[in-house]
Every structure is written in structure tokens, then in C-alpha cells.
Amino acid sequence: MQAIKLLYEGKAKKIFETQDSQLRIMEFKDDATAFNGQKKGSIHDKGKINNRVSAALFELLESSGVKTHFVKILNDRNMLVRAVEIIPLEVIVRNIVAGSMAKRFGIEEGKRLHEPVLEFSYKNDELGDPMMNRYHALALGLATREEIDYIEKTSLKVNEILRDFFASKDILLVDFKLEYGRFGDEILLADEISPDTCRFWDAKTMKKLDKDRFRRDLGDIEQAYLEILERISK
Ligand code: TMP
């Protein structure tokens, strides 16, 4: 399968058309941004690592009955995916308080939540991805009630599967962001699942093994991404 035309270039990935209108190629870049593009940099080999981590996690989720856009890995930085129409909602699931939730409620990072929290953001870079709830999404026509119900239910299932999987690797799944797309009559889990889009803490040392090392200038960024790939590959 070959890339024919660049369809879209985002902050961390490129999407290409292929000869098959149902399939696209997703290329993972080393570019890293934070705070809605205000902080820019590059993480050596991040694209290669995120391609492999995402592929492994999509395969794990598919084997547990979650439908995803993933078809197969093509090479170092590229995976073949189904040509979905992205729903402009970012779905965040949290198990432990961190990041914007810690800030918003004035709670210290690290507090374990009694129940997972599910949040939506409107996927819109110009507005800085503002938080919204399901009523906003419905009222603005971003998704139907059935689609939102499916997205919520699936995201909580994804959380259970990934939380257990990472726990078996001595990693705490603190929080993560998902995106979904329409593909015919189906809704597929799309985008990526990687240290760029999740918070991972080492369960013993609590060391951060994700993009917070870049956001907060903590150093050891490449090693942290590699550590995630190595642990999940065991
Ligand atoms: P937050 O605490 O900054 O809201 O982030 C929650 C989770 O979502 C965290 O795992 C990082 C991820 N995330 C993204 O994947 N993309 C984004 O643009 C943001 C802000 C967060």
C-alpha cells in the first residue's frame, strides 16, 4: 500500500490517501508540541516508538472486542488505518488526578479517584480544545445521542482493558485521551494511543514515563518513551 497524497498534517502525524479510498496511511512524526502548539520541539525517534506502541495497544483492544481504525503496521513510522471521518471530540478518561484536573479543582496530583472521570473537549486548535459536556456536543450536532452513548461506554471499557494491561507491566495509567471516527455505520476508535496521549507513571518509583517529561522539561524524554515500548513488548 502506497501513500498517494498528503491529506492532512497535524502536530504529531500526517495522514495520506492510498489507492484504496477506504484506507489511509498514518505517519508518526518526531515533532512534539505542548500547550496548544506554544511549546515546540522534537523527541528523537518518538514517531517510531509511538507507531509501535499504538499498534500494540490497538491490537490488544481489538482482541478484547473494541473496534479500531488500525489495520496493520507498514514500516518504522507508518501504519495502515481505515479512512474514518474524525468526530471533533477529544475524550479524556482519568483514574488519578493530574494535569488540568489538578489545576481546575486545586487538588494535588496523584490523588486516586473513586471512579473514573470521563471528560469531553471540543477538538478545535483555534479555541484551545475547550472542555464541553455531552449536552453541548449533542446540541451543537457534533454527534448523535447514540454515538455519544457508544463513545462513553467504549472509552470506559478501553480504560478497564488498558489499566489492567499497564498494571501488569508495573505502570499506572493515570489518564489518557481518545478520538473516534465514523466509518460507514460504525464508530471506530481512531488517532493514536501513546506516551503523547496518555499519562503513565512507574508504579514503584512514580517516575513519569510520558509527554509530561517534555511539557515540564523533566529530561530523559526519549528513555521514558522507550521504557514504555520495552515494557509493553515483554
Ligand atoms: P490534561 O490533564 O492536560 O487535560 O490531559 C489529560 C490527558 O489527555 C493526558 O493524558 C494528556 C492527554 N492530552 C492529549 O492527548 N492531547 C492534548 O492536547 C491534551 C491537552 C491532553
Side-chain angles (χ1 to χ4, degrees):
M1 194 61 66
Q2 292 215 313
I4 293 182
K5 187 180 136 207
L6 178 66
L7 256 187
Y8 171 80
E9 178 158 8
K11 288 179 285 217
K13 295 187 295 296
K14 294 181 188 172
I15 306 282
F16 295 91
E17 268 178 7
T18 68
Q19 309 88 300
D20 184 337
S21 65
Q22 304 277 80
L23 297 173
R24 291 184 185 146
I25 291 173
M26 188 156 85
E27 179 185 318
F28 289 77
K29 307 193 287 182
D30 286 350
D31 299 349
T33 65
F35 315 117
N36 202 22
Q38 281 170 270
K39 180 181 172 113
K40 288 194 175 73
S42 171
I43 301 171
H44 180 66
D45 279 351
K46 171 171 84 80
K48 294 182 188 174
I49 297 171
N50 284 358
N51 186 28
R52 289 177 59 190
V53 170
S54 289
L57 298 178
F58 281 136
E59 275 172 357
L60 169 75
L61 292 168
E62 287 275 358
S63 74
S64 306
V66 177
K67 290 176 189 163
T68 80
H69 71 157
F70 178 73
V71 179
K72 63 175 179 180
I73 284 250
L74 293 174
N75 53 46
D76 268 7
R77 290 180 183 274
N78 293 275
M79 66 167 61
L80 192 64
V81 296
R82 296 188 177 84
V84 299
E85 175 209 343
I86 289 286
I87 297 171
L89 285 175
E90 299 198 344
V91 187
I92 292 162
V93 181
R94 302 178 187 273
N95 298 304
I96 298 175
V97 175
S100 67
M101 181 170 178
K103 219 178 241 170
R104 181 174 300 116
F105 299 113
I107 306 169
E108 218 173 301
E109 286 201 323
K111 181 185 162 53
R112 292 186 192 231
L113 295 159
H114 299 300
E115 297 270 336
V117 167
L118 189 147
E119 294 170 4
F120 289 116
S121 295
Y122 178 35
K123 188 173 156 63
N124 183 316
D125 280 342
E126 275 168 40
L127 299 175
D129 301 336
M131 194 173 179
M132 65 166 40
N133 63 33
R134 57 176 285 142
Y135 295 92
H136 290 113
L138 248 180
L140 293 171
L142 302 182
T144 65
R145 197 179 302 275
E146 291 70 33
E147 287 175 336
I148 294 173
D149 287 346
Y150 177 81
I151 287 171
E152 288 183 348
K153 192 180 79 195
T154 306
S155 300
L156 293 172
K157 176 173 174 181
V158 166
N159 183 44
E160 284 180 12
I161 297 164
L162 294 185
R163 210 177 42 190
D164 290 352
F165 174 72
F166 280 101
S168 76
K169 310 289 177 187
D170 273 332
I171 294 167
L172 297 175
L173 177 62
V174 175
D175 56 29
F176 56 94
K177 187 262 300 177
L178 301 175
E179 295 184 25
Y180 291 84
R182 300 185 181 99
F183 186 73
D185 302 337
E186 294 184 313
I187 303 280
L188 306 180
L189 180 61
D191 195 55
E192 67 178 288
I193 311 176
S194 72
D196 270 12
T197 62
C198 304
R199 284 196 174 93
F200 297 123
W201 294 353
D202 183 287
K204 293 202 177 97
T205 64
M206 302 302 262
K207 180 176 177 181
K208 297 183 198 316
L209 299 171
D210 57 63
K211 195 174 165 190
D212 270 348
R213 302 206 73 79
F214 170 77
R215 295 188 189 99
R216 304 177 187 192
D217 295 320
L218 300 175
D220 274 353
I221 309 175
E222 289 87 353
Q223 293 90 320
Y225 277 65
L226 251 185
E227 175 82 29
I228 291 295
L229 177 61
E230 283 169 5
R231 285 216 214 162
I232 70 171
S233 307
K234 270 184 203 148

Short mmCIF file of all heavy atoms in Angstrom, two decimals, residues 178-222:
data_model
loop_
_atom_site.label_atom_id
_atom_site.label_comp_id
_atom_site.label_asym_id
_atom_site.label_seq_id
_atom_site.Cartn_x
_atom_site.Cartn_y
_atom_site.Cartn_z
N LEU A 178 -8.68 9.94 23.96
CA LEU A 178 -9.06 9.13 22.80
C LEU A 178 -9.80 9.99 21.78
O LEU A 178 -10.40 11.01 22.13
CB LEU A 178 -10.01 8.00 23.23
CG LEU A 178 -9.51 7.00 24.28
CD1 LEU A 178 -10.64 6.03 24.65
CD2 LEU A 178 -8.30 6.22 23.77
N GLU A 179 -9.76 9.53 20.53
CA GLU A 179 -10.59 10.15 19.48
C GLU A 179 -11.28 9.03 18.71
O GLU A 179 -10.74 7.92 18.62
CB GLU A 179 -9.73 10.99 18.53
CG GLU A 179 -9.10 12.18 19.23
CD GLU A 179 -8.31 13.08 18.30
OE1 GLU A 179 -8.59 13.11 17.08
OE2 GLU A 179 -7.39 13.77 18.80
N TYR A 180 -12.45 9.35 18.18
CA TYR A 180 -13.22 8.36 17.43
C TYR A 180 -13.54 8.90 16.05
O TYR A 180 -13.58 10.12 15.84
CB TYR A 180 -14.54 8.05 18.16
CG TYR A 180 -14.34 7.29 19.45
CD1 TYR A 180 -14.02 7.95 20.64
CD2 TYR A 180 -14.44 5.89 19.48
CE1 TYR A 180 -13.83 7.26 21.82
CE2 TYR A 180 -14.25 5.19 20.66
CZ TYR A 180 -13.94 5.87 21.83
OH TYR A 180 -13.74 5.17 22.99
N GLY A 181 -13.83 7.95 15.12
CA GLY A 181 -14.22 8.36 13.77
C GLY A 181 -15.35 7.52 13.24
O GLY A 181 -15.57 6.39 13.69
N ARG A 182 -16.10 8.10 12.29
CA ARG A 182 -17.19 7.37 11.63
C ARG A 182 -16.62 6.62 10.43
O ARG A 182 -15.81 7.18 9.68
CB ARG A 182 -18.27 8.34 11.15
CG ARG A 182 -18.89 9.13 12.28
CD ARG A 182 -20.04 10.01 11.78
NE ARG A 182 -20.57 10.77 12.90
CZ ARG A 182 -20.25 12.05 13.15
NH1 ARG A 182 -19.42 12.70 12.35
NH2 ARG A 182 -20.75 12.67 14.20
N PHE A 183 -17.06 5.38 10.27
CA PHE A 183 -16.64 4.55 9.14
C PHE A 183 -17.86 3.76 8.71
O PHE A 183 -18.22 2.78 9.35
CB PHE A 183 -15.49 3.63 9.58
CG PHE A 183 -14.87 2.83 8.47
CD1 PHE A 183 -14.05 3.45 7.53
CD2 PHE A 183 -15.10 1.47 8.37
CE1 PHE A 183 -13.46 2.71 6.51
CE2 PHE A 183 -14.51 0.72 7.35
CZ PHE A 183 -13.69 1.35 6.42
N GLY A 184 -18.53 4.20 7.66
CA GLY A 184 -19.82 3.60 7.30
C GLY A 184 -20.77 3.75 8.47
O GLY A 184 -20.93 4.85 9.00
N ASP A 185 -21.39 2.63 8.89
CA ASP A 185 -22.34 2.68 10.01
C ASP A 185 -21.66 2.56 11.36
O ASP A 185 -22.32 2.55 12.39
CB ASP A 185 -23.31 1.47 9.95
CG ASP A 185 -24.05 1.44 8.65
OD1 ASP A 185 -24.15 2.51 8.03
OD2 ASP A 185 -24.50 0.34 8.27
N GLU A 186 -20.34 2.39 11.34
CA GLU A 186 -19.63 2.10 12.59
C GLU A 186 -18.90 3.31 13.14
O GLU A 186 -18.56 4.23 12.40
CB GLU A 186 -18.58 1.01 12.34
CG GLU A 186 -19.16 -0.33 11.98
CD GLU A 186 -18.07 -1.37 11.84
OE1 GLU A 186 -17.04 -1.10 11.19
OE2 GLU A 186 -18.24 -2.46 12.41
N ILE A 187 -18.65 3.24 14.45
CA ILE A 187 -17.77 4.22 15.09
C ILE A 187 -16.51 3.44 15.47
O ILE A 187 -16.60 2.41 16.16
CB ILE A 187 -18.39 4.77 16.39
CG1 ILE A 187 -19.75 5.39 16.13
CG2 ILE A 187 -17.45 5.76 17.07
CD1 ILE A 187 -19.71 6.76 15.56
N LEU A 188 -15.37 3.91 15.02
CA LEU A 188 -14.11 3.23 15.33
C LEU A 188 -13.24 4.10 16.21
O LEU A 188 -13.17 5.33 16.02
CB LEU A 188 -13.34 2.93 14.04
CG LEU A 188 -14.06 2.14 12.94
CD1 LEU A 188 -13.13 1.94 11.73
CD2 LEU A 188 -14.55 0.80 13.47
N LEU A 189 -12.55 3.47 17.16
CA LEU A 189 -11.53 4.17 17.94
C LEU A 189 -10.41 4.54 16.96
O LEU A 189 -9.97 3.69 16.18
CB LEU A 189 -11.01 3.25 19.05
CG LEU A 189 -9.95 3.83 19.95
CD1 LEU A 189 -10.45 5.06 20.70
CD2 LEU A 189 -9.48 2.77 20.96
N ALA A 190 -9.98 5.81 16.98
CA ALA A 190 -9.04 6.26 15.94
C ALA A 190 -7.82 6.95 16.58
O ALA A 190 -7.49 6.70 17.74
CB ALA A 190 -9.75 7.18 14.97
N ASP A 191 -7.14 7.78 15.79
CA ASP A 191 -5.97 8.54 16.24
C ASP A 191 -4.87 7.60 16.76
O ASP A 191 -4.56 6.61 16.10
CB ASP A 191 -6.40 9.59 17.27
CG ASP A 191 -5.35 10.64 17.51
OD1 ASP A 191 -4.92 11.28 16.53
OD2 ASP A 191 -4.94 10.83 18.67
N GLU A 192 -4.29 7.90 17.91
CA GLU A 192 -3.18 7.12 18.46
C GLU A 192 -3.38 6.92 19.95
O GLU A 192 -4.17 7.65 20.58
CB GLU A 192 -1.86 7.85 18.23
CG GLU A 192 -1.73 9.15 19.02
CD GLU A 192 -0.38 9.85 18.82
OE1 GLU A 192 0.64 9.34 19.34
OE2 GLU A 192 -0.36 10.90 18.16
N ILE A 193 -2.69 5.93 20.49
CA ILE A 193 -2.64 5.76 21.96
C ILE A 193 -1.16 5.55 22.29
O ILE A 193 -0.58 4.52 21.92
CB ILE A 193 -3.46 4.53 22.43
CG1 ILE A 193 -4.87 4.55 21.83
CG2 ILE A 193 -3.54 4.51 23.96
CD1 ILE A 193 -5.68 3.31 22.18
N SER A 194 -0.55 6.53 22.91
CA SER A 194 0.90 6.52 23.05
C SER A 194 1.31 7.39 24.24
O SER A 194 0.45 8.04 24.84
CB SER A 194 1.51 7.11 21.77
OG SER A 194 1.27 8.51 21.75
N PRO A 195 2.61 7.46 24.54
CA PRO A 195 3.03 8.36 25.63
C PRO A 195 2.75 9.84 25.32
O PRO A 195 2.82 10.67 26.22
CB PRO A 195 4.54 8.10 25.74
CG PRO A 195 4.75 6.74 25.17
CD PRO A 195 3.73 6.60 24.07
N ASP A 196 2.40 10.16 24.06
CA ASP A 196 1.97 11.53 23.75
C ASP A 196 0.57 11.80 24.26
O ASP A 196 0.22 12.96 24.54
CB ASP A 196 1.93 11.76 22.22
CG ASP A 196 3.25 12.27 21.66
OD1 ASP A 196 4.26 12.26 22.37
OD2 ASP A 196 3.25 12.69 20.48
N THR A 197 -0.25 10.77 24.34
CA THR A 197 -1.69 10.97 24.61
C THR A 197 -2.15 10.32 25.92
O THR A 197 -3.35 10.30 26.20
CB THR A 197 -2.54 10.42 23.45
OG1 THR A 197 -2.30 9.02 23.32
CG2 THR A 197 -2.21 11.12 22.13
N CYS A 198 -1.21 9.76 26.67
CA CYS A 198 -1.55 9.13 27.95
C CYS A 198 -0.58 9.65 29.01
O CYS A 198 0.52 10.08 28.68
CB CYS A 198 -1.33 7.61 27.90
SG CYS A 198 -2.21 6.74 26.61
N ARG A 199 -0.97 9.57 30.28
CA ARG A 199 -0.01 9.75 31.36
C ARG A 199 0.27 8.37 31.95
O ARG A 199 -0.67 7.66 32.35
CB ARG A 199 -0.52 10.68 32.46
CG ARG A 199 -0.48 12.13 32.06
CD ARG A 199 -0.63 13.09 33.25
NE ARG A 199 -0.45 14.46 32.81
CZ ARG A 199 -1.45 15.27 32.44
NH1 ARG A 199 -2.71 14.86 32.53
NH2 ARG A 199 -1.21 16.49 32.02
N PHE A 200 1.55 8.01 31.98
CA PHE A 200 1.99 6.74 32.54
C PHE A 200 2.97 7.02 33.67
O PHE A 200 3.94 7.76 33.46
CB PHE A 200 2.75 5.93 31.48
CG PHE A 200 1.97 5.53 30.26
CD1 PHE A 200 2.41 5.90 28.99
CD2 PHE A 200 0.83 4.75 30.36
CE1 PHE A 200 1.71 5.51 27.85
CE2 PHE A 200 0.13 4.36 29.22
CZ PHE A 200 0.58 4.75 27.96
N TRP A 201 2.73 6.46 34.84
CA TRP A 201 3.70 6.59 35.95
C TRP A 201 4.19 5.20 36.33
O TRP A 201 3.39 4.25 36.43
CB TRP A 201 3.03 7.23 37.19
CG TRP A 201 2.60 8.66 37.01
CD1 TRP A 201 2.84 9.47 35.95
CD2 TRP A 201 1.81 9.43 37.95
NE1 TRP A 201 2.26 10.71 36.15
CE2 TRP A 201 1.62 10.71 37.38
CE3 TRP A 201 1.27 9.16 39.20
CZ2 TRP A 201 0.91 11.73 38.01
CZ3 TRP A 201 0.55 10.17 39.84
CH2 TRP A 201 0.38 11.43 39.26
N ASP A 202 5.49 5.09 36.57
CA ASP A 202 6.04 3.84 37.07
C ASP A 202 5.38 3.55 38.43
O ASP A 202 5.37 4.42 39.31
CB ASP A 202 7.56 3.96 37.23
CG ASP A 202 8.16 2.65 37.69
OD1 ASP A 202 7.98 2.28 38.88
OD2 ASP A 202 8.82 2.00 36.86
N ALA A 203 4.84 2.35 38.59
CA ALA A 203 4.04 2.05 39.79
C ALA A 203 4.89 2.02 41.06
O ALA A 203 4.38 2.25 42.16
CB ALA A 203 3.32 0.72 39.62
N LYS A 204 6.20 1.74 40.90
CA LYS A 204 7.05 1.66 42.10
C LYS A 204 7.68 3.00 42.43
O LYS A 204 7.64 3.47 43.55
CB LYS A 204 8.15 0.62 41.89
CG LYS A 204 7.58 -0.79 41.79
CD LYS A 204 8.62 -1.85 42.12
CE LYS A 204 7.98 -3.23 42.09
NZ LYS A 204 8.20 -3.91 40.80
N THR A 205 8.27 3.66 41.39
CA THR A 205 9.02 4.89 41.65
C THR A 205 8.17 6.14 41.40
O THR A 205 8.58 7.24 41.78
CB THR A 205 10.24 4.99 40.71
OG1 THR A 205 9.74 5.08 39.36
CG2 THR A 205 11.12 3.76 40.82
N MET A 206 7.02 5.98 40.75
CA MET A 206 6.13 7.09 40.35
C MET A 206 6.78 7.99 39.29
O MET A 206 6.27 9.08 39.00
CB MET A 206 5.68 7.94 41.55
CG MET A 206 4.95 7.16 42.61
SD MET A 206 3.49 6.33 41.95
CE MET A 206 2.24 7.50 42.45
N LYS A 207 7.88 7.52 38.69
CA LYS A 207 8.51 8.32 37.63
C LYS A 207 7.55 8.48 36.45
O LYS A 207 6.88 7.52 36.06
CB LYS A 207 9.81 7.63 37.16
CG LYS A 207 10.51 8.40 36.06
CD LYS A 207 11.84 7.78 35.64
CE LYS A 207 12.41 8.60 34.48
NZ LYS A 207 13.69 8.08 33.99
N LYS A 208 7.49 9.68 35.90
CA LYS A 208 6.63 9.94 34.75
C LYS A 208 7.28 9.38 33.49
O LYS A 208 8.45 9.68 33.21
CB LYS A 208 6.41 11.45 34.59
CG LYS A 208 5.67 12.09 35.76
CD LYS A 208 5.41 13.56 35.51
CE LYS A 208 5.10 14.33 36.78
NZ LYS A 208 4.18 13.72 37.72
N LEU A 209 6.51 8.59 32.74
CA LEU A 209 7.03 7.93 31.54
C LEU A 209 6.21 8.37 30.32
O LEU A 209 5.72 7.53 29.56
CB LEU A 209 6.98 6.41 31.71
CG LEU A 209 7.80 5.83 32.87
CD1 LEU A 209 7.51 4.35 33.08
CD2 LEU A 209 9.30 6.04 32.62
N ASP A 210 6.03 9.66 30.15
CA ASP A 210 5.14 10.16 29.10
C ASP A 210 5.50 11.60 28.73
O ASP A 210 6.51 12.12 29.20
CB ASP A 210 3.67 10.10 29.59
CG ASP A 210 3.52 10.89 30.88
OD1 ASP A 210 3.73 12.12 30.85
OD2 ASP A 210 3.22 10.28 31.94
N LYS A 211 4.65 12.22 27.95
CA LYS A 211 4.93 13.55 27.39
C LYS A 211 5.03 14.65 28.44
O LYS A 211 5.55 15.73 28.15
CB LYS A 211 3.85 13.90 26.36
CG LYS A 211 4.20 15.07 25.47
CD LYS A 211 3.12 15.24 24.41
CE LYS A 211 3.20 16.57 23.73
NZ LYS A 211 2.00 16.80 22.89
N ASP A 212 4.62 14.40 29.67
CA ASP A 212 4.84 15.40 30.72
C ASP A 212 6.33 15.69 30.89
O ASP A 212 6.71 16.79 31.33
CB ASP A 212 4.23 14.95 32.06
CG ASP A 212 2.78 15.42 32.21
OD1 ASP A 212 2.33 16.29 31.41
OD2 ASP A 212 2.09 14.93 33.13
N ARG A 213 7.21 14.74 30.54
CA ARG A 213 8.66 14.99 30.65
C ARG A 213 9.05 16.11 29.68
O ARG A 213 9.96 16.89 29.97
CB ARG A 213 9.48 13.72 30.37
CG ARG A 213 9.15 12.54 31.28
CD ARG A 213 10.32 11.58 31.42
NE ARG A 213 11.37 12.15 32.24
CZ ARG A 213 11.34 12.18 33.57
NH1 ARG A 213 10.36 11.60 34.24
NH2 ARG A 213 12.31 12.75 34.23
N PHE A 214 8.37 16.17 28.52
CA PHE A 214 8.61 17.26 27.55
C PHE A 214 7.88 18.53 28.00
O PHE A 214 8.49 19.61 28.07
CB PHE A 214 8.10 16.81 26.17
CG PHE A 214 8.06 17.90 25.14
CD1 PHE A 214 9.22 18.34 24.51
CD2 PHE A 214 6.85 18.50 24.80
CE1 PHE A 214 9.17 19.35 23.56
CE2 PHE A 214 6.80 19.52 23.85
CZ PHE A 214 7.95 19.93 23.23
N ARG A 215 6.59 18.39 28.36
CA ARG A 215 5.81 19.58 28.75
C ARG A 215 6.48 20.33 29.89
O ARG A 215 6.49 21.54 29.94
CB ARG A 215 4.40 19.18 29.20
CG ARG A 215 3.51 18.57 28.13
CD ARG A 215 2.07 18.39 28.62
NE ARG A 215 1.28 17.62 27.68
CZ ARG A 215 1.03 16.32 27.81
NH1 ARG A 215 1.46 15.64 28.86
NH2 ARG A 215 0.31 15.69 26.89
N ARG A 216 7.04 19.57 30.86
CA ARG A 216 7.56 20.17 32.09
C ARG A 216 9.09 20.22 32.14
O ARG A 216 9.65 20.42 33.24
CB ARG A 216 7.02 19.38 33.30
CG ARG A 216 5.49 19.31 33.30
CD ARG A 216 4.94 18.48 34.44
NE ARG A 216 3.50 18.31 34.29
CZ ARG A 216 2.70 17.83 35.23
NH1 ARG A 216 3.20 17.46 36.41
NH2 ARG A 216 1.41 17.70 35.02
N ASP A 217 9.74 19.94 31.01
CA ASP A 217 11.21 19.98 30.95
C ASP A 217 11.86 19.11 32.01
O ASP A 217 12.75 19.55 32.75
CB ASP A 217 11.72 21.43 31.11
CG ASP A 217 11.28 22.31 29.95
OD1 ASP A 217 11.30 21.84 28.80
OD2 ASP A 217 10.90 23.47 30.20
N LEU A 218 11.44 17.84 32.10
CA LEU A 218 11.96 16.95 33.14
C LEU A 218 13.17 16.13 32.68
O LEU A 218 13.76 15.41 33.48
CB LEU A 218 10.85 15.99 33.61
CG LEU A 218 9.61 16.66 34.22
CD1 LEU A 218 8.54 15.61 34.55
CD2 LEU A 218 9.97 17.44 35.47
N GLY A 219 13.53 16.23 31.36
CA GLY A 219 14.66 15.45 30.86
C GLY A 219 14.31 13.99 30.66
O GLY A 219 13.17 13.57 30.91
N ASP A 220 15.30 13.20 30.15
CA ASP A 220 15.10 11.75 29.96
C ASP A 220 13.86 11.41 29.13
O ASP A 220 13.20 10.39 29.38
CB ASP A 220 14.89 11.07 31.33
CG ASP A 220 16.19 10.69 31.99
OD1 ASP A 220 17.24 10.83 31.35
OD2 ASP A 220 16.14 10.26 33.16
N ILE A 221 13.55 12.24 28.15
CA ILE A 221 12.29 12.06 27.42
C ILE A 221 12.33 10.79 26.55
O ILE A 221 11.44 9.93 26.64
CB ILE A 221 11.97 13.28 26.53
CG1 ILE A 221 12.06 14.57 27.35
CG2 ILE A 221 10.59 13.15 25.90
CD1 ILE A 221 11.89 15.84 26.53
N GLU A 222 13.41 10.69 25.73
CA GLU A 222 13.50 9.53 24.83
C GLU A 222 13.49 8.23 25.61
O GLU A 222 12.83 7.26 25.24
CB GLU A 222 14.78 9.59 23.98
CG GLU A 222 14.79 10.67 22.93
CD GLU A 222 15.28 12.01 23.46
OE1 GLU A 222 15.51 12.16 24.68
OE2 GLU A 222 15.44 12.94 22.64
#
